[in-house]
Each structure stands twice: as structure tokens, then as C-alpha cells.
């Protein structure tokens, strides 16, 4: 997919000049590059994937050896998940895919797994009815994007704030034979490098729940997109786990809806599923928990958010 006709400076929304070295905005003087097939329009932000690699693998050779030398049947569910993440990070995709998905979801309750599976299928069925330009926001490892590529015949834009994960995802897409169907962009969701109303549909699977500040993101999505189809995971107001999030708007359904409406969206909630969630067990090798939330047992509400720009 050629993005050149819809790209704009994410900082000032000025037009971009294209050269062999990348893109230049005469209005504000910013320069942007395209590296190894990935458009890099990130102005600022932390690369969580780069931090992840340095956090649990670098300098911990002994623990890493234990992880890879222990038979997978003897690894705890959390350690098996960490091994899968490490294999993906190292671009060992064949070994990564040998680990069954069922093994990777063993850290969650059965009803949680059923709810996420149902929600993904529901969102994809909605997206299969959509044509035009579809953007997957906060693609991460490409789990939801991969499911979408299997079910939808179209081409997609993938946006993530991490240059590290985007580079690895590029290699994974090539490994799967999907690289010609996905155009990747590194950018902040609150500062997207696209023209007004240039994206037909933006989708994401729990991507909003990993962000920090709702309203700037919702306003920016309203600027560039016509429709939103998002799988979200909400908690009830008063849930003690909300003490551990930075912006409750992204985690409580009624606040989320109100903020979207304030940003100029007409919003509906569909396919709402309640499921019990338990704190994920700590890794026996590294001592860390795969998920920070929930801290205490709770009920999550899996919700497909459908919004149209007014």
C-alpha cells in the first residue's frame, strides 16, 4: 500500500516532501525516515519492547539458560509465555509457533479465554464487512492483525509506538508471507502522520488499555478516521484494580464512551461479555508476572466498541 498520498507531518499536519532520505516538513522543519520498509514518524515516546528485551533477558544469562534448557512440559505457564515472547523477540519464529496457543493462555481463567476468543471473532466479522483503508492500532506482536489477515482479503496499515516490535513484526510478516499486505508505521496514537479523514476504519484489540491518556488519542483518531471498531476490556467503577492504572477513562466503560463522544464520535457498545479474571501467576524463573492487572480478582467486561465520526 502506497501511503505517500495520505501522509502528513504528525507534529503540525503540514505537507511532506519526499526524497530518497525520507520525508521533510517545510512547515516545521521536521524530518522523518523509512527504515527497512517501516515508516518512522515517532516524535517522542518510550520503546517498551526495547526496554522489555533489556529487562528480563540482557545480563541474565543464567536465568535465560534455565528458560531454554528446561523441558517445556516442566515450565510454568508464565515461564512458557515468557519463552514465547523471547523466541519472537529473537526472531525464532518457527520455534515460537511450535508453542501451542492453548499453552500460552493457561495463565488466564477459562472464561477469560472464552471471552477474548469470542470478542476477537466478533470484531473480525464486523471488519470483514468493511472496505477501504483499515488501520490496526497498537499492533504489538501482531496477534490480532494475524487473525485479521487470515479472515479478511484486504490490505492493512499497522501502527505501533515501538520501533523495536515493528521491526520484528516486519520480519514475522515476511515469514508468514503477509508483508506485501501490511504497511507499517511507527507513531504515537496521539500524533498520527495522516491526512484528515484518510483512514476508513481504525481497529485495535485491547490497545487502548495499554495507553496513558485517552482524550488526545480519541481526538486524533477522530481527525484521521471515519470509523472505529475496537475490542476493549473494561472494569466496573470502584474496582480496586483501577488504583493501578494511569487513566481510568481507558478502563471504565461509561468514562470511555463519554470521552469518545466528547472527541466527536457517535458510540455504541456491542457483544459485551463478563468474565472473571485472576492475577496472572508469577514466573518461577524470573519472578515477574506477565500482566500487571488485575492485582486482585475481578470481573472484566469484554466489549466491542463501534464508533462513527460525527
Amino acid at each position: 500500500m502506497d501511503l505517500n498520498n495520505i501522509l502528513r507531518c504528525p507534529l503540525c499536519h503540514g505537507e511532506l516532501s519526499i526524497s530518497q532520505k525520507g520525508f521533510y516538513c517545510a512547515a516545521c522543519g521536521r524530518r522523518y525516515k523509512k527504515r527497512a520498509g517501516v515508516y518512522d514518524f515517532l516524535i517522542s515516546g518510550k520503546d517498551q519492547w526495547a526496554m522489555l528485551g533489556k529487562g528480563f533477558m540482557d545480563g541474565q544469562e543464567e536465568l535465560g539458560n534455565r528458560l531454554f534448557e528446561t523441558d517445556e512440559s516442566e515450565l510454568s505457564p508464565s515461564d512458557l509465555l515468557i519463552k514465547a515472547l523471547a523466541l519472537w523477540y529473537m526472531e525464532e519464529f518457527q520455534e515460537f509457533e511450535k508453542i501451542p496457543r492453548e499453552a500460552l493462555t493457561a495463565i488466564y481463567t477459562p472464561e477469560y479465554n472464552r471471552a477474548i476468543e469470542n470478542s476477537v471473532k466478533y470484531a473480525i466479522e464486523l471488519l470483514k464487512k468493511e472496505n477501504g483503508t483499515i488501520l490496526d492500532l497498537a499492533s504489538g506482536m501482531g496477534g490480532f492483525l494475524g487473525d485479521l489477515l487470515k479472515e479478511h482479503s484486504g490490505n492493512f496499515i499497522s501502527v505501533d509506538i515501538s520501533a523495536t516490535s515493528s521491526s520484528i513484526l516486519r520480519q514475522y510478516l515476511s515469514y508468514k508471507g503477509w508483508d506485501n499486505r501490511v504497511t507499517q508505521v511507527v507513531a504515537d496514537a496521539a500524533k498520527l502522520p495522516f491526512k484528515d479523514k484518510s483512514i476508513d476504519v481504525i481497529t485495535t484489540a485491547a490497545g487502548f488499555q495499554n495507553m496513558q491518556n485517552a482524550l488526545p488519542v480519541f481526538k486524533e483518531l477522530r481527525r484521521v478516521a471515519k470509523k472505529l471498531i475496537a475490542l476493549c476490556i473494561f472494569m466496573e467503577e470502584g474496582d480496586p484494580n483501577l488504583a493501578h492504572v494511569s487513566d481510568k477513562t481507558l478502563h471504565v466503560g461509561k468514562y470511555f464512551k463519554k470521552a469518545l463522544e466528547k472527541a466527536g464520535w457517535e458510540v455504541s457498545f456491542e457483544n459485551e461479555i463478563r468474565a472473571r479474571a485472576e492475577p496472572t501467576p508469577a514466573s518461577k524463573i524470573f519472578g515477574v508476572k506477565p500482566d500487571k492487572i488485575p492485582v486482585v480478582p475481578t470481573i472484566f467486561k469484554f466489549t466491542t466498541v463501534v464508533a462513527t465520526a460525527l
Side-chain angles (χ1 to χ4, degrees), residues 45-231:
K46 296 180 180 179
D47 190 334
Q48 297 294 340
W49 268 97
M51 295 168 64
L52 176 67
K54 292 177 181 179
F56 73 80
M57 294 302 293
D58 290 2
Q60 301 194 67
E61 290 81 3
E62 182 180 347
L63 297 180
N65 290 338
R66 282 181 58 193
L67 182 68
F68 286 100
E69 291 173 2
T70 302
D71 189 279
E72 288 182 1
S73 63
E74 299 178 7
L75 287 174
S76 71
S78 292
D79 285 315
L80 191 57
L81 178 60
I82 290 173
K83 181 177 181 178
L85 291 172
L87 289 168
W88 191 85
Y89 189 88
M90 296 185 296
E91 300 182 18
E92 297 288 346
F93 302 129
Q94 285 187 323
E95 294 302 312
F96 165 74
E97 290 194 333
K98 287 180 182 178
I99 301 177
R101 177 172 286 194
E102 293 77 12
L104 300 180
T105 58
I107 63 171
Y108 302 112
T109 65
E111 57 190 288
Y112 178 106
N113 288 325
R114 288 193 296 269
I116 194 71
E117 182 179 2
N118 181 294
S119 298
V120 167
K121 288 180 178 178
Y122 186 89
I124 288 177
E125 286 302 312
L126 292 181
L127 289 163
K128 285 165 66 175
K129 301 174 185 176
E130 301 291 338
N131 297 310
T133 304
I134 300 177
L135 184 154
D136 179 50
L137 184 65
S139 296
M141 295 174 66
F144 182 67
L145 179 61
D147 290 337
L148 192 54
L149 284 161
K150 293 174 187 175
E151 298 291 335
H152 195 297
S153 60
N155 297 327
F156 303 91
I157 300 171
S158 164
V159 173
D160 198 274
I161 198 170
S162 169
T164 300
S165 71
S166 296
S167 176
I168 301 170
L169 179 59
R170 187 70 184 166
Q171 299 306 313
Y172 183 65
L173 291 169
S174 178
Y175 165 77
K176 298 292 290 184
W178 291 331
D179 50 319
N180 64 331
R181 295 180 57 198
V182 180
T183 304
Q184 290 180 261
V185 177
V186 177
D188 185 339
K191 291 183 172 62
L192 294 171
F194 303 113
K195 290 171 57 176
D196 293 4
K197 298 293 176 291
S198 58
I199 307 298
D200 293 290
V201 183
I202 288 180
T203 189
T204 187
F208 289 126
Q209 282 65 58
N210 291 313
M211 297 180 188
Q212 304 297 321
N213 194 352
L215 197 55
V217 173
F218 293 169
K219 288 181 177 180
E220 182 69 346
L221 300 189
R222 168 67 178 77
R223 181 184 70 81
V224 305
K226 302 169 187 174
K227 191 171 185 178
L228 175 67
I229 299 175
L231 193 170

